[in-house]
Amino acid sequence: MSEIANKVKRKLKSHPGAQAVCCAVTANGLPGFVFFLAIVFALSFIARLGLDNSVKIFTAGEIATQDVAADQNLQIEDVEATSRKREQVAQSQPPVFDVSPLPYEALVKSVDDILTSVRTAGGEDLDKLRWQIAENLNTEIGGEIIEVWRQDGFKNLIDQDVLPWLKQNYEQGVVASAALFAPYKNGILIRDLPSMMETLRMDTRDLKDIKQVKDDMEHMLKVSMNKPFRVRKAVYTLVNPFIAPNMTFNQETTQSRRREISQAVEPLYYIIKKGEVIVRQGERVGPIQQLKLQALYSHRKGSYNMLRALGIFGMCLMFLAVLYASLERTGVKRLRNTDWMFLAVILVIFGLLAKMADVVTLPGGSGLPEGTRALYFAFSLPMAGAAGILALFFSKRLCIFVSLILAFLASNMVFGGIGAFCYYFVGSMIYIYLMKRSETRSQVLRATLPLFAALCVMWVSINLMDLSTPAVTGTGLVFVALSAFLSLLAVVGIAPIMELLFGYTSRFRLMELLNLEQPLLQELMVKAPGTYHHSLIVSNMVEAGARAIGANPLLGKVAALYHDIGKLKSPHYFIENISCKENRHNKLAPSMSALILIAHVKKGVELAREHRLGQQITDLIGQHHGTTLIAYFHHKAKEQAEAKGEEPIREEDYRYPGPKPQSKEAGLILLADAIEASSRTLVDPTPSRIKGHIQNIVRKIYTEGELDDSQLTLKDLTLLSETFHRILTGIFHQRIEYPSAKTTEVKNGKTREEPVCAVGPKNAAEHAA
């Protein structure tokens, strides 16, 4: 474990989430925090460790010797179906035909060159030119054709009628043969090369090939223009050899586009659900079943993936960073080594329990497929019980975030996916809410029913998402009920053990300490009745104040009951217990009296530890005076020092050692203690005087900075002042004066002196402090 801790320390330096959390942990809690991170680190790697590699492989045609069920959700690509679909989509892509202006331009240039050369030549040169043109055109050219070409009318016919008509046909596109369009029933794409503009032509019947263009030109000359055969032959001889297709099939572009569109087609998958039976015993294995078995084997849990484990640990660190951001800085700093170790132990217990669900399954004779048995076992885990245990000792936010980490780790351990994660986390949040509202053990028992109802809703919802059969859903409800019951057992059985081992104080322990028959309270009532009565009033004030400002009323009330148990060691040195005896402080030096008063805090802490009251109550006892000044004896010591001409006294010698209140409950006890004790010095405690007195005490304590670390706001102080005023007004209410024995004796002519108790200083607050 130390090696893991050292490895975690090295990783903390480079991870921003861990750095943020470490900044919020003081040196006092750093070892425990490192231990907690080490546990998270170890569980992250255990989560991706597959311990059951029993996936059997059967080939096609072989008889299966056992049932094989999927142990995880998986997608397997159907290669043949995907290939057929892609081929079908590719064939539906229309081919690309390029239309180029170059063939027409070449035709015009060639025709123009021949006519120009013929019209300018003469004599023997003309005859040589005729043989050269015939050789180039690969056709026989007679002298009569040359004569026609030399005529101006023929030149005009070519320039004004034939070439414009050919241009019009070339603009539409001329293909070598109309048979090229036969395979393409879904149309073609015609791309004009100069502009690269594409046009989809669904009907290709109106597109001409070379033969049709020649036939149409003959029809135009013969029928439309009524030209003689001699002229028509001269035109055919001159133009036909240069008529070439300007629309050509672009195979490279067509294939490229077909590849792109086929690659865009999503693969077709076989969907395998966790628990699905791939092949049954005695069944002949088919090709598809073999494919599924091979996929399961290649994705088996034994193929460990280090990167996934690191990813799980990184996610847990980010959860901790969010925890740090959501909690107040002081709230995180209050987590001690014991707290971090407690959280780590909870993670270990329930994390390893989740890993067992990945390894151990129900017996094969249960009639359920192997994967389904593992699924049921995973959803019967009492992860909500872990949250319930945490809710007994920690704040709601801390419980939620630790439950988030545990749910994330557990869902990865059982390979349950998002469904298992939601099941664990939502169940944990609901149980945290229920446990925070439970104040008795019977309420904890009753909280199992709403937990079971919530888990049932989650289970049914998950099965609806996964399209599970009604039989699987119905059978799983039994295991959901088992999860709720085991969560209850975890809270009832594990919580007291953890409370004993780590010294925590649960709500149920607080209810036991609230019983006035506790030996410590009974001893306080007998030996220090004034302190006992004072503690009762302070506890009622603290409880009412805690409810008003949203603090923990139960913890505050119990701590207020025990806050002055340190006075048991020397009860007669405190004014509320002196009665009519002589005040012992009259014979002591002020410094000694101050030491006695200061010592009752330390002795109270010792008694709290001796009687196992819990760390929370022990801390509140140690903070209930903060670092306030014992003003009465400080003032008395100053007067004596000035009268004797001695050196000025040190104020620190007359202050409580602290620490200052670190929580709302501690600040509440400090205020209620000071206000209740000092209110006894009021001569005529009318409501207005009580209100003014409370405001003065609160203002004095606030300005001295005693509440700086208590998280109490000005709004809280206003609510507390109103609450304390209401309670003290009820205590000091006016009563009707009843006839007394003294009044009766005066009427009979007799007088009797009542004993007067003079105990010294009348400032009860200074002695009670």
Side-chain angles (χ1 to χ4, degrees):
M1 185 62 69
S2 60
E3 294 180 0
I4 296 178
N6 293 330
K7 189 178 296 184
V8 171
K9 288 180 182 178
R10 293 193 298 269
K11 286 186 175 293
L12 291 179
K13 297 179 180 179
S14 59
H15 201 288
Q19 290 175 356
V21 179
C22 286
C23 292
V25 182
T26 60
N28 184 38
L30 185 58
F33 176 68
V34 172
F35 177 74
F36 176 81
L37 279 184
I39 293 298
V40 174
F41 184 79
L43 291 177
S44 299
F45 281 82
I46 294 176
R48 302 310 299 182
L49 180 63
L51 301 179
D52 184 12
N53 300 327
S54 56
V55 179
K56 303 297 182 181
I57 293 292
F58 300 105
T59 58
E62 187 178 355
I63 303 299
T65 58
Q66 67 177 60
D67 290 353
V68 179
D71 58 351
Q72 56 186 301
N73 295 327
L74 202 60
Q75 286 184 335
I76 305 174
E77 182 180 352
D78 187 346
V79 179
E80 293 184 4
T82 302
S83 178
R84 288 195 301 269
K85 183 178 179 182
R86 287 176 174 172
E87 182 65 25
Q88 181 181 1
V89 172
Q91 292 301 323
S92 65
Q93 170 69 21
V96 178
F97 283 81
D98 292 334
V99 175
S100 174
L102 297 179
Y104 174 74
E105 293 175 356
L107 183 149
V108 172
K109 186 176 183 304
S110 298
V111 170
D112 186 64
D113 290 343
I114 291 175
L115 291 180
T116 301
S117 61
V118 169
R119 288 168 64 86
T120 57
E124 295 181 0
D125 292 337
L126 182 62
D127 191 54
K128 292 180 179 180
L129 180 61
R130 181 175 64 83
W131 286 106
Q132 183 179 357
I133 294 174
E135 186 70 22
N136 292 338
L137 298 182
N138 195 24
T139 184
E140 182 178 354
I141 299 176
E144 68 278 6
I145 294 178
I146 296 296
E147 291 298 326
V148 175
W149 285 358
R150 291 171 61 86
Q151 297 175 3
D152 292 336
F154 185 83
K155 171 70 170 165
N156 293 334
L157 175 65
I158 294 296
D159 291 341
Q160 296 176 10
D161 296 313
V162 176
L163 291 181
W165 182 88
L166 286 173
K167 182 179 180 181
Q168 183 179 0
N169 281 270
Y170 268 107
E171 287 177 350
Q172 299 296 324
V174 177
V175 71
S177 173
L180 289 175
F181 301 138
Y184 311 121
K185 306 298 183 182
N186 297 323
I188 63 172
L189 278 175
I190 299 177
R191 182 172 65 174
D192 183 60
L193 288 183
S195 63
M196 302 303 291
M197 181 180 296
E198 297 183 0
T199 304
L200 177 63
R201 294 289 295 269
M202 301 300 297
D203 187 3
T204 60
R205 288 177 297 178
D206 57 343
L207 294 176
K208 299 177 181 180
D209 59 5
I210 293 177
K211 180 178 181 303
Q212 191 173 356
V213 169
K214 292 179 179 179
D215 293 342
D216 289 348
M217 184 174 65
E218 181 179 0
H219 182 272
M220 177 192 71
L221 293 173
K222 181 177 181 181
V223 177
S224 300
M225 301 184 68
N226 198 20
K227 295 296 181 181
F229 175 76
R230 182 167 173 264
V231 174
R232 297 200 308 270
K233 183 179 180 181
V235 172
Y236 302 153
T237 304
L238 176 63
V239 175
N240 283 359
F242 299 108
I243 296 178
N246 73 330
M247 180 185 293
T248 56
F249 173 60
N250 193 327
Q251 184 174 4
E252 181 180 355
T253 303
T254 301
Q255 294 297 332
S256 175
R257 294 189 178 184
R258 288 180 174 177
R259 283 194 300 269
E260 290 179 2
I261 196 171
S262 64
Q263 290 173 359
V265 175
E266 292 291 335
L268 299 178
Y269 293 99
Y270 294 112
I271 305 299
I272 300 178
K273 292 292 184 180
K274 184 175 181 179
E276 177 184 345
V277 178
I278 306 300
V279 62
R280 296 189 180 276
Q281 182 178 1
E283 185 178 281
R284 188 176 298 277
V285 179
I288 297 178
Q289 290 171 315
Q290 178 183 347
L291 178 65
K292 293 181 178 181
L293 291 174
Q294 290 173 341
L296 284 175
Y297 185 81
S298 62
H299 290 83
R300 67 192 186 279
K301 302 170 189 176
S303 53
Y304 193 81
N305 193 323
M306 182 71 69
L307 294 179
R308 287 189 177 184
L310 289 174
I312 294 174
F313 180 63
M315 287 294 295
C316 293
L317 288 181
M318 294 310 299
F319 290 151
L320 287 173
V322 175
L323 170 63
Y324 164 69
S326 63
L327 292 176
E328 296 82 3
R329 280 179 171 269
T330 52
V332 178
K333 286 181 180 179
R334 280 201 305 273
L335 290 180
R336 299 166 291 123
N337 284 327
T338 307
D339 299 330
W340 288 115
M341 294 182 68
F342 179 84
L343 297 175
V345 170
I346 293 295
L347 288 184
V348 168
I349 293 175
F350 289 89
L352 294 181
L353 185 63
K355 196 59 187 176
M356 288 178 58
D358 182 44
V359 180
V360 181
T361 59
L362 297 175
S366 59
L368 299 171
E370 181 181 354
T372 304
R373 298 198 299 268
L375 176 70
Y376 288 152
F377 200 99
F379 280 87
S380 66
L381 294 175
M383 291 302 153
I389 295 173
L390 296 176
L392 295 176
F393 308 109
F394 297 102
S395 66
K396 188 181 298 184
R397 283 190 179 182
L398 181 62
C399 294
I400 289 175
F401 276 98
V402 175
S403 299
L404 176 63
I405 294 174
L406 180 59
F408 181 71
L409 289 172
S411 61
N412 276 278
M413 287 182 178
V414 300
F415 295 83
I418 189 65
F421 171 74
C422 293
Y423 179 83
Y424 294 149
F425 183 55
V426 174
S428 298
M429 286 198 299
I430 292 173
Y431 209 36
I432 289 170
Y433 172 77
L434 294 172
M435 294 305 299
K436 286 294 184 183
R437 293 173 59 90
S438 302
E439 295 187 354
T440 62
R441 300 188 189 275
S442 61
Q443 289 178 336
V444 172
L445 295 176
R446 289 195 295 269
T448 308
L449 294 179
L451 173 64
F452 171 64
L455 293 179
C456 285
V457 173
M458 289 298 301
W459 167 252
V460 173
S461 301
I462 293 170
N463 280 269
L464 290 176
M465 290 191 300
D466 292 341
L467 302 177
S468 300
T469 62
V472 173
T473 304
T475 307
L477 293 176
V478 177
F479 295 88
V480 172
L482 178 61
S483 174
F485 178 69
L486 292 178
S487 297
L488 171 65
L489 291 184
V491 172
V492 176
I494 299 178
I497 299 175
M498 306 300 285
E499 184 177 353
L500 179 64
L501 294 177
F502 290 91
Y504 286 111
T505 305
S506 67
R507 185 177 296 104
F508 310 118
R509 173 61 175 161
L510 291 177
M511 294 296 294
E512 295 172 357
L513 294 175
L514 197 59
N515 188 353
L516 297 181
E517 299 299 322
Q518 288 287 335
L520 200 57
L521 293 179
Q522 289 292 306
E523 184 180 359
L524 186 66
M525 181 179 64
V526 174
K527 293 184 177 181
T531 301
Y532 176 78
H533 182 259
H534 161 74
S535 299
L536 288 177
I537 297 176
V538 171
S539 67
N540 291 330
M541 294 173 64
V542 169
E543 180 184 17
R547 295 186 186 278
I549 65 173
N552 189 333
L554 182 59
L555 175 62
K557 183 174 184 178
V558 174
L561 272 179
Y562 291 87
H563 79 283
D564 270 344
I565 57 175
K567 294 180 180 179
L568 281 172
K569 298 295 183 179
S570 51
H572 297 296
Y573 283 93
F574 298 89
I575 189 64
E576 67 267 25
N577 301 317
I578 291 180
S579 186
C580 294
K581 298 179 182 179
E582 182 182 1
N583 189 342
R584 300 186 180 186
H585 289 285
N586 293 338
K587 298 179 180 181
L588 299 177
S591 58
M592 183 58 66
S593 297
L595 287 175
I596 294 174
L597 296 184
I598 292 173
H600 91 275
V601 176
K602 180 180 178 182
K603 294 176 181 177
V605 171
E606 293 174 353
L607 282 174
R609 289 173 178 166
E610 180 183 342
H611 288 78
R612 295 181 177 274
L613 298 186
Q615 189 62 41
Q616 285 180 300
I617 295 178
T618 303
D619 292 341
L620 292 177
I621 292 175
Q623 300 167 17
H624 84 275
H625 276 302
T627 59
T628 54
L629 179 68
I630 305 175
Y632 177 82
F633 290 114
H634 176 255
H635 180 70
K636 183 177 179 181
K638 283 178 63 177
E639 289 181 343
Q640 291 181 1
E642 291 173 359
K644 296 179 181 180
E646 298 177 352
E647 295 181 359
I649 63 171
R650 297 173 65 249
E651 185 178 290
E652 293 77 7
D653 296 336
Y654 293 85
R655 283 191 177 275
Y656 286 98
K660 294 179 180 180
Q662 300 294 307
S663 63
K664 288 187 176 183
E665 292 79 14
L668 263 172
I669 296 174
L670 187 151
L671 290 171
D673 187 22
I675 290 172
E676 197 283 331
S678 59
S679 65
R680 297 178 180 274
T681 64
L682 295 175
V683 178
D684 185 12
T686 61
S688 59
R689 289 186 178 181
I690 293 175
K691 182 176 182 180
H693 177 72
I694 293 174
Q695 291 176 347
N696 290 336
I697 296 296
V698 172
R699 187 182 301 110
K700 179 177 180 295
I701 293 175
Y702 176 76
T703 54
E704 289 179 353
E706 293 296 326
L707 303 177
D708 290 349
D709 300 330
S710 66
Q711 303 176 17
L712 289 173
T713 63
L714 292 176
K715 180 180 179 181
D716 294 337
L717 296 179
T718 301
L719 293 174
L720 291 176
S721 299
E722 295 173 356
T723 304
F724 293 161
H725 176 254
R726 185 178 67 253
I727 294 176
L728 291 180
T729 301
I731 293 176
F732 293 108
H733 64 279
Q734 299 292 328
R735 284 186 177 272
I736 300 174
E737 183 178 357
Y738 292 95
S740 61
K742 180 177 179 180
T743 306
T744 304
E745 291 178 359
V746 171
K747 289 182 179 180
N748 293 333
K750 298 179 181 180
T751 60
R752 181 168 63 88
E753 293 290 335
E754 294 289 345
V756 178
C757 179
V759 295
K762 293 186 177 181
N763 191 344
E766 304 301 338
H767 287 272

